[in-house]
Amino acid sequence: MKNLFIYLLTFASCVSVAFAQKTKVVYNELPVYGKLFDTPSKYHRVDTVKYNDLPVRVKHLFTNSAGLFVTFRSNSSSIYAKWCVTDAKVSSNLTSIAQKGLDVYIKNADGEWQYAGSKGTAKTCDEGSLIANLDQTAKEFLVYLPLYDETRSLKIGVEEGASFLPLPNPFQKNIAVYGSSIVQGASAGRAGMAYTAILSRRTGLNFINLGVSGSAKMEPEVAHMLAAGTPEVFILDCVPNSLPEIVSERTQYFVEYLRANHPNTPIIMIPSVVRELSYFNQVWNKRNAEQNAQFKKEYETLLTKGIKHLYYLDSKTLLGTDHEGTTDGTHPNDLGFMRMADEIQPFVLEIMQKHNLL
Amino acid sequence: MKNLFIYLLTFASCVSVAFAQKTKVVYNELPVYGKLFDTPSKYHRVDTVKYNDLPVRVKHLFTNSAGLFVTFRSNSSSIYAKWCVTDAKVSSNLTSIAQKGLDVYIKNADGEWQYAGSKGTAKTCDEGSLIANLDQTAKEFLVYLPLYDETRSLKIGVEEGASFLPLPNPFQKNIAVYGSSIVQGASAGRAGMAYTAILSRRTGLNFINLGVSGSAKMEPEVAHMLAAGTPEVFILDCVPNSLPEIVSERTQYFVEYLRANHPNTPIIMIPSVVRELSYFNQVWNKRNAEQNAQFKKEYETLLTKGIKHLYYLDSKTLLGTDHEGTTDGTHPNDLGFMRMADEIQPFVLEIMQKHNLL
């Protein structure tokens, strides 16, 4: 028994009985991808001990597993998961699938990642089948972690006797996307619909989710942390959380610090989506317009200072034009996220081509 | 009707103090629209006492306020609501905004209903501001009720001294849409994104939501209830809940009963969306294909029997072709619902034109 226990610990696997199917399921841990840096806490996006001077709220949000994923190959006819999150309540503008759940893609015959299933939970720890009744050819799977909670543990299960092979990150290069709740993924219906995730699947590039809901305020400490990474591109989509004064105070330092540490890395500035609220709410209308006007002004000032490889996505239609692209007037629904991806993708790819980064 | 309004204004109003703003708010009840029939229980879609022989689960679901809405005119700079639902838990594939919340549209300068704000709740009774900081021109408002809960009460509040005028139903004619959870509105992010609601706003026609989640099984009693209404068109989008055997057993009677009672009313049969699950889940793949094949076969049999004014929307792409149109592999997200509306709208309008119903 002791030997068996050691065996299990060694391989981080365990055999248990799935309640419904009475199928023996072998659970495995997997490496977690989607990070700008390795982190000592496997399911955190940023090492919040190393970057201890980050604002408290920002550190907390980097413990959320937004944008993280695991990937493996298996011929199992069902895929299971056991995972734990915190007891945080589900936000009114999120499903529990998006906030606390898992979202599964399979590489299809065309070599594209195709949505296959997803699962939410009302519990802090849950387990069960994610997808079932698959044909038993070997397939590549990609499982996104919860967008808006700290993942405490995750094991992926396959049927006893099925093949199981951890895979390397399928996405190449890193594009660091620093931003607000919108980058973090509110209000995608499931984790795979955050715009960074859509863009990664479509382009094969690793769009890294560094969204910090409500807290993307361009503090110098965030610039320092980001500059410690070595992405191919920086994207700054942080205006929604920054009042015009904050945009005015902090943009220059933030961009110049990144530029000083990464002389040739393209930096893309994305203004705030036009909040749907702002068409009728006059306070939001003014704030939204001033935030974006100030961000544009900062961009122009940076250009006049001679900052190179700096780009501004000058768009007022990131969410489309029919006003249906949000769940709550601020946060894109899956329609809005698809439209954002449609606008951002060609803009980023063109810049990367220009810089010979593709 | 005028008397009703006087009654409402006189007796069903109350002045209370909104906590945050310390603004005096006057609350009013409003007539509820979006029903095929008047109902003694204001927030129910069907009179479940009159149609007492409906299956228990179907009766329960018709107490959910899916598709119901109120409409009014006001120049208040904020709009408030006080409403109660049940203590049912929020489903993993829904936001609390969609399941238990309110979704607000304003008629814009182009005469179109434009999304303006929405609010979810974790409580059985909640109150607060739905939208704020409006300019004080008079506007027309449309507020959708919760999709997946029984609304127990609803009052709409405006600032003391602001105008408030109940409006008649802005949508003309009735198109009765009987169907599954998808018709009921899972997994729209908010009530206005159920496909019946999108279609009503776009066409000015009243697409009546008769979705009964998991329970659209074409029981004869449902046909009897539907036939008691007098819509311009019947739409049957009930295949997702009906196993192939059920489709085989019940479709003929269901359609023939409607036809016998409504000799000239177009009946549109919509097959099940191709569930995204079904591309990999072989059991769902087979079931989905068999359900739709059987429904098509029933349609053809009905044609050979000489049933007139019967139409079949022969589509496998109701959710689009990129596989991203659902939240859980079955239920459309807002992207999927928009795509469904894009396919269903021209099909229905062409039929209505042909029948001189527009």
Side-chain angles (χ1 to χ4, degrees), chain A residues 92 95-97 105 114-115 118 132-133 135 190 201 277 279 281-283 323-324 326-329 333-334, chain B residues 92 95-97 105 114-116 118 132-133 135 190 201 279 281-283 323-324 326-329 333-334:
Chain A
S92 71
T95 66
S96 85
I97 293 173
Y105 282 72
Q114 180 176 331
Y115 171 79
S118 41
N133 304 312
D135 73 51
R190 49 188 172 79
R201 290 195 304 280
L277 290 181
Y279 291 98
N281 183 317
Q282 295 183 298
V283 172
H323 306 291
E324 299 291 19
T326 72
T327 293
D328 58 4
N333 53 21
D334 292 342
Chain B
S92 71
T95 65
S96 85
I97 293 174
Y105 283 72
Q114 179 176 330
Y115 171 80
S118 40
N133 303 312
D135 73 51
R190 50 188 171 77
R201 290 194 305 279
Y279 291 99
N281 183 318
Q282 296 183 296
V283 172
H323 305 291
E324 299 290 20
T326 73
T327 293
D328 58 4
N333 52 22
D334 292 342

Side-chain angles (χ1 to χ4, degrees), chain B residues 33 168 189 322:
Chain B
Y33 303 117
D322 65 4

Side-chain angles (χ1 to χ4, degrees), chain B residues 94-108:
Chain B
L94 290 172
T95 65
S96 85
I97 293 174
Q99 182 165 337
K100 294 172 174 285
L102 301 171
D103 194 18
V104 186
Y105 283 72
I106 293 176
K107 192 171 271 186
N108 67 21

Side-chain angles (χ1 to χ4, degrees), chain B residues 108-162:
Chain B
N108 67 21
D110 298 327
E112 290 168 350
W113 290 109
Q114 179 176 330
Y115 171 80
S118 40
K119 193 172 178 70
T121 185
K123 301 176 185 169
T124 55
C125 290
D126 207 346
E127 79 177 274
S129 156
L130 299 179
I131 35 177
N133 303 312
L134 306 173
D135 73 51
Q136 288 175 39
T137 59
K139 295 176 193 62
E140 295 183 18
F141 297 85
L142 189 164
V143 181
Y144 290 102
L145 273 58
L147 284 176
Y148 262 80
D149 207 332
E150 182 182 0
T151 301
R152 295 274 168 87
S153 64
L154 171 65
K155 287 182 181 176
I156 297 292
V158 296
E159 284 154 10
E160 192 180 31

Side-chain angles (χ1 to χ4, degrees), chain A residues 34-37 39 44-47 54 58 61-62 64-68 174-185 195-196 206-213 215-217 222 225-227 229 231 233-238 241 254:
Chain A
K35 303 181 204 179
L36 189 57
F37 316 100
T39 54
H44 291 178
R45 292 181 286 167
V46 169
D47 181 348
L54 288 169
V58 171
L61 287 160
F62 280 136
N64 286 189
S65 49
L68 303 187
N174 285 339
I175 295 154
V177 188
Y178 166 61
S180 71
S181 52
I182 296 176
V183 170
Q184 188 169 345
Y195 84 74
T196 52
N206 210 15
F207 284 78
I208 308 249
N209 189 325
L210 293 159
V212 282
S213 185
S215 300
K217 296 183 180 172
V222 176
M225 179 276 290
L226 287 175
V233 179
F234 288 105
I235 294 180
L236 311 183
D237 180 3
C238 44
N241 296 154
F254 203 91

Side-chain angles (χ1 to χ4, degrees), chain A residues 42-57:
Chain A
K42 185 171 175 176
Y43 303 103
H44 291 178
R45 292 181 286 167
V46 169
D47 181 348
T48 55
V49 175
K50 183 172 177 184
Y51 299 101
N52 189 43
D53 60 351
L54 288 169
V56 171
R57 181 76 192 147

